[in-house]
Amino acid sequence: MRLDVVTIFPEYLEPLNVSLVGKARARGVLDVHVHDLREWTYDRHNTVDDTPYGGGPGMVMKTEPWGEALDTSLADGYEAGAHSPVLVVPTPSGRPFTQELAVELSTEPWLLFTPARYEGIDRRVIDEYATRLRVVEVSIGDYVLAGGEAAVLVITEAVARLLPGVLGNAESHRDDSFAPGAMANLLEGPVFTKPPEWRGRAIPDVLLSGHHGKIARWRRDQAFARTALNRPDLIERCEASAFDKKDREILSILGFAPEPGGRFWRRPTAVEE
Ligand code: 6GU
């Protein structure tokens, strides 16, 4: 997979040299190109922003540097044999980034990211490239960052670990929380390793029992407990048919009850902790 990133802070993308993404690059699975947007400015101050038409606070990133940066990056990539670029535009007004979108992007041969600062990029730039390429505007969550660079790191890491040959084995993704079809989309429960006792804290007996059926059941119960606590919406979203008899018992203990519609809803509790 080829990745291009156009940014006014190339050094912000340094983490792409480290850890999992760094290894994917070293192995030749990922071909990363970071470009400095200011290379395509021609005034003394390397201006990339200007005041917004219609007034209002903040600044807007100018069309011309982005147009030249994207034309050049695209030409370089095509020349190197890349094809079918997808323009990924990080923006808090984009479509939510999910594991499903990560899986989808991991099948693309070429992603071109346009992290913006200020109030964003002049809309005409996105509209112009949308006539030629697939454009996906993506938000990584319901909060506002000062710029899209951190979002590029997040998206890249989520995508890179799905590429063939990056993680140890394909099995590794199957149980990911949020993996499509993962245990009814529950959050994963706690994990433990040696030593068997630490500061007076033991390992749950069942994990030492060697009884694989009991261990799987305990892990699922833990997953339900954690999901009920942190993401009850994930349980409410599941079809009731995803739950077996023991699941239903656990759900009842956790305060969920089946509705005629076929889903489980949490009974209102006296005090939400
Ligand atoms: Cl992709 N960019 C910015 N600036 N803020 C965000 C975001 C992206 N996703 C959530 N908040």
Side-chain angles (χ1 to χ4, degrees), residues 182-185 220 224 238-244 247-248 262 264:
M183 3 205 279
N185 282 310
R220 191 160 168 86
F224 274 113
C238 281
E239 303 238 21
S241 61
F243 302 128
D244 66 19
D247 292 344
R248 287 154 199 268
F264 278 74

Side-chain angles (χ1 to χ4, degrees), residues 2-132:
R2 178 174 169 122
L3 292 185
D4 285 83
V5 186
V6 180
T7 171
I8 58 169
F9 292 122
E11 64 276 25
Y12 207 122
L13 282 301
E14 276 296 305
L16 296 180
N17 296 319
V18 181
S19 187
L20 174 128
V21 176
K23 261 180 223 147
R25 293 178 77 172
R27 285 185 195 165
V29 176
L30 261 187
D31 178 24
V32 180
H33 300 258
V34 177
H35 313 271
D36 186 345
L37 179 67
R38 294 197 201 273
E39 277 184 35
W40 294 280
T41 57
Y42 304 99
D43 65 310
R44 266 196 324 125
H45 298 107
N46 300 117
T47 309
V48 293
D49 60 333
D50 206 337
T51 54
Y53 277 117
M59 299 290 272
V60 175
M61 296 191 93
K62 293 164 64 63
T63 52
E64 299 100 319
W66 278 108
E68 287 198 32
L70 293 175
D71 287 349
T72 309
S73 303
L74 286 165
D76 285 357
Y78 283 122
E79 199 162 328
H83 64 92
S84 311
V86 175
L87 196 68
V88 182
V89 180
T91 165
S93 33
R95 141 182 185 195
F97 186 61
T98 59
Q99 188 64 22
E100 188 180 6
L101 183 51
V103 168
E104 191 187 317
L105 293 178
S106 74
T107 67
E108 297 288 348
W110 185 5
L111 304 178
L112 209 166
F113 291 94
T114 61
R117 292 269 144 178
Y118 316 108
E119 299 301 310
I121 305 172
D122 187 307
R123 186 69 213 176
R124 292 171 293 178
V125 175
I126 287 103
D127 292 344
E128 167 72 12
Y129 288 92
T131 68
R132 275 181 270 161

Side-chain angles (χ1 to χ4, degrees), residues 89-92 116 138-148 151:
V89 180
T91 165
V138 183
S139 163
I140 62 163
D142 294 342
Y143 40 78
V144 179
L145 302 170

